[in-house]
Each structure stands twice: as C-alpha cells, then as structure tokens.
Amino acid sequence: MGADYDHVETDSDPTIFSEGVKLTSDKYGVFVDDNLSIGDFSVTPGIRFDRMRPVGDFFSPSLGVAWNPTDKITLRTYAARGYSLPTLTVGATQATVTTVQAGVETTYIPWLWIKTTFFWNQLSDVQNVNEGTIEKQKILGVEVEAKTVPIFNTSLSAGYTFMEGKNRETGEELIRFPRQLVKFGIHYNDVQHSLRGALLGRYACGNSQFSTNARSSAMLLDLNLAKKVFSRRDIAFELFFNAHNIFNGAQDTLDNGFKNARRWFEGGIRFDF
C-alpha cells in the first residue's frame, strides 16, 4: 500500500503563444498490491487510483501469475491497464494502455539466467504532437534478457527487444519508432567492502522515413557508483555518483522534435533506516 503526489509546471512554447502560457499538471495516487503464494503458484493482484489534472481520474488494475514447475523454471503471465502522463501542451490528452505479457525464465544453463517475454500493448488517446492528431496504436514484440552469475564480484547482463507498432485505425506502421533496443551492463558488487558499480549501455534502432532524422549510431552509456560509508544496526549512509550519457550521444528521432537528455551528473548521500 502506498501513495504519491507529483506536480509539474512549465511555460508554453513562445513560438506558439506569444504572450506565454503557464502549464501545470498535478497527480495524486494511491495503490494497493499483494502477493499470494499457493503451492508452486504465486499470484500478484494490484489496483491503483490516480486523480490527475488537467486530464481526469484513472483506475489501473493489474494481475500477475507465476508458476514454478521445477526449481529452475518460472513461467509468468501478466495483464494490466495503465496510462502515461500527459504531455504539457494545451489540449493535452491522457494516453492509456492495456498490456498482456507472458514469458519464461530459467537457470538450466550453468552460470546463466535467461528470461524471455512476449508482450502485446493496445494504446488509446495517443497524442501525435508532430501531426496534431489523436491516435490508437498497437505495439507487440519480444524481449530477451540474460545475466551471468558473479565471478570476482562481477557479472554481465545483456538484453534485446524487438517491437512492431501500427496505427489501429489505418493499419499504417508507426514511424519515428524504436523497433529494436539493445542493452548491456557490467555490474560490480563487493559486499565485503560495501562497494557497488555498474556500466550500462543502451542502443536504439529508430524507424523513420527520413534518414536525416533517425540517429541510430549512438550508444548511450551510464555509470553508477555507490559506497556505503556507515552502517550500524538498521541505519546506513551511502555515497553515490551517477554519470548519465557519458559520451554525450544523441538518439534523436526528429531534428526539431523530442531529444534524449545529453550528458549530466548527479551525486549525493542516501540514508537508509
């Protein structure tokens, strides 16, 4: 059980509104999740309610089921209804999604964990900012993930996602759409010295009708470091440092559209109790 609140405020594009318009969004949410174990089955029901302005209220039910036929195989299925936060523009809509997923994970191959997931998403009220239209979309695909067991406190991870997206009303293929995603990671976790780190990479192969708009050559790299400096009973202090998009790569889908965040850093102290 939990609750959260978000407030976003921004100024409108001066090229659209010469006098400037301040746009805001407020979201209040409460949610309840549970996990029930029945023999080799695990059932995870959940429900969430959000009150959002300016778009309205939304219920998000979900249900997941996992089955372990052996100690090395887990079969999973999941269904949920959700939403995306509205883009802060005049006349913004709230995109909604119904998702169904099914997959399997296994450790039958020595030293390796593998997971495969098939997914089907049906979206409504998607705001196409570039075309000025409201669309219904369908996105389906498959995702494969793998991770090695730690050797000298170090493990490797990799993932691949293939997606196909279409306009449900016209049947046209979605453009400016990341059809393929490739991820990799190098993870370090020294429990004895309370030191953790990860180098994570992400490559997106965009789908565009205009070669000048699709930039699929950049691999975005993030570096995450953390060191616990104090721990006593249930209290701990941890220093952390994150470097995002280390080489300042660009995976823009439009020259004049939404761009990925460029290089930025963050750091601080975490307090756990």
Side-chain angles (χ1 to χ4, degrees):
M1 177 180 292
D4 55 39
Y5 167 73
D6 292 301
H7 172 78
V8 180
E9 183 174 306
T10 185
D11 293 326
S12 64
D13 188 341
T15 62
I16 301 177
F17 300 95
S18 57
E19 298 180 357
V21 176
K22 189 172 290 295
L23 303 172
T24 62
S25 173
D26 291 277
K27 181 175 74 69
Y28 309 82
V30 293
F31 56 89
V32 178
D33 296 296
D34 199 3
N35 187 275
L36 308 173
S37 296
I38 307 172
D40 295 330
F41 289 85
S42 178
V43 181
T44 308
I47 189 167
R48 180 184 178 103
F49 172 75
D50 289 286
R51 171 152 291 177
M52 289 176 283
R53 296 294 179 266
V55 292
D57 302 340
F58 196 79
F59 281 100
S60 307
S62 63
L63 179 64
V65 178
W67 176 42
N68 295 99
T70 74
D71 60 348
K72 293 186 177 182
I73 291 181
T74 301
L75 303 177
R76 299 183 183 275
T77 184
Y78 175 79
R81 183 170 178 260
Y83 66 91
S84 66
L85 293 177
T87 304
L88 285 186
T89 60
V90 175
T93 62
Q94 177 190 48
T96 62
V97 58
T98 299
T99 182
V100 177
Q101 304 176 15
V104 58
E105 60 182 81
T106 179
T107 57
Y108 262 115
I109 300 177
W111 312 102
L112 191 64
W113 169 86
I114 300 176
K115 179 180 179 181
T116 301
T117 304
F118 297 90
F119 57 88
W120 173 87
N121 299 331
Q122 183 168 280
L123 298 89
S124 300
D125 297 325
V126 180
Q127 188 172 13
N128 188 325
V129 178
N130 300 296
E131 303 295 336
T133 58
I134 305 299
E135 299 180 353
K136 295 181 179 180
Q137 299 176 352
K138 177 177 66 176
I139 299 174
L140 53 89
V142 60
E143 182 175 59
V144 180
E145 304 170 80
K147 189 172 184 178
T148 66
V149 299
I151 301 177
F152 298 110
N153 302 320
T154 304
S155 60
L156 305 177
S157 66
Y160 173 76
T161 304
F162 176 82
M163 296 180 288
E164 182 178 90
K166 292 186 177 182
N167 185 310
R168 286 161 47 202
E169 297 176 311
T170 65
E172 296 179 351
E173 184 179 2
L174 300 182
I175 61 173
R176 308 182 183 105
F177 176 74
R179 294 196 66 188
Q180 300 182 74
L181 298 174
V182 178
K183 299 179 182 180
F184 78 89
I186 303 174
H187 309 264
Y188 181 81
N189 187 8
D190 186 345
V191 177
Q192 182 179 357
H193 297 93
S194 302
L195 178 63
R196 294 181 289 111
L199 179 65
L200 306 175
R202 180 180 183 273
Y203 173 87
C205 181
N207 172 27
S208 175
Q209 292 180 337
F210 309 99
S211 59
T212 57
N213 287 337
R215 299 181 182 178
S216 301
S217 59
M219 171 73 77
L220 303 189
L221 292 176
D222 294 342
L223 176 65
N224 304 321
L225 299 173
K227 167 68 176 176
K228 187 177 293 184
V229 294
F230 175 83
S231 178
R232 179 176 296 176
R233 295 183 181 178
D234 297 329
I235 299 176
F237 289 91
E238 183 180 73
L239 300 177
F240 71 91
F241 172 77
N242 300 325
H244 301 275
N245 196 358
I246 299 173
F247 297 110
N248 208 29
Q251 289 184 342
D252 307 346
T253 56
L254 281 175
D255 290 338
N256 60 346
F258 299 108
K259 301 179 182 294
N260 64 272
R262 308 312 292 269
R263 182 190 300 119
W264 62 286
F265 306 93
E266 61 179 337
I269 301 176
R270 293 191 182 99
F271 174 58
D272 295 322
F273 61 93

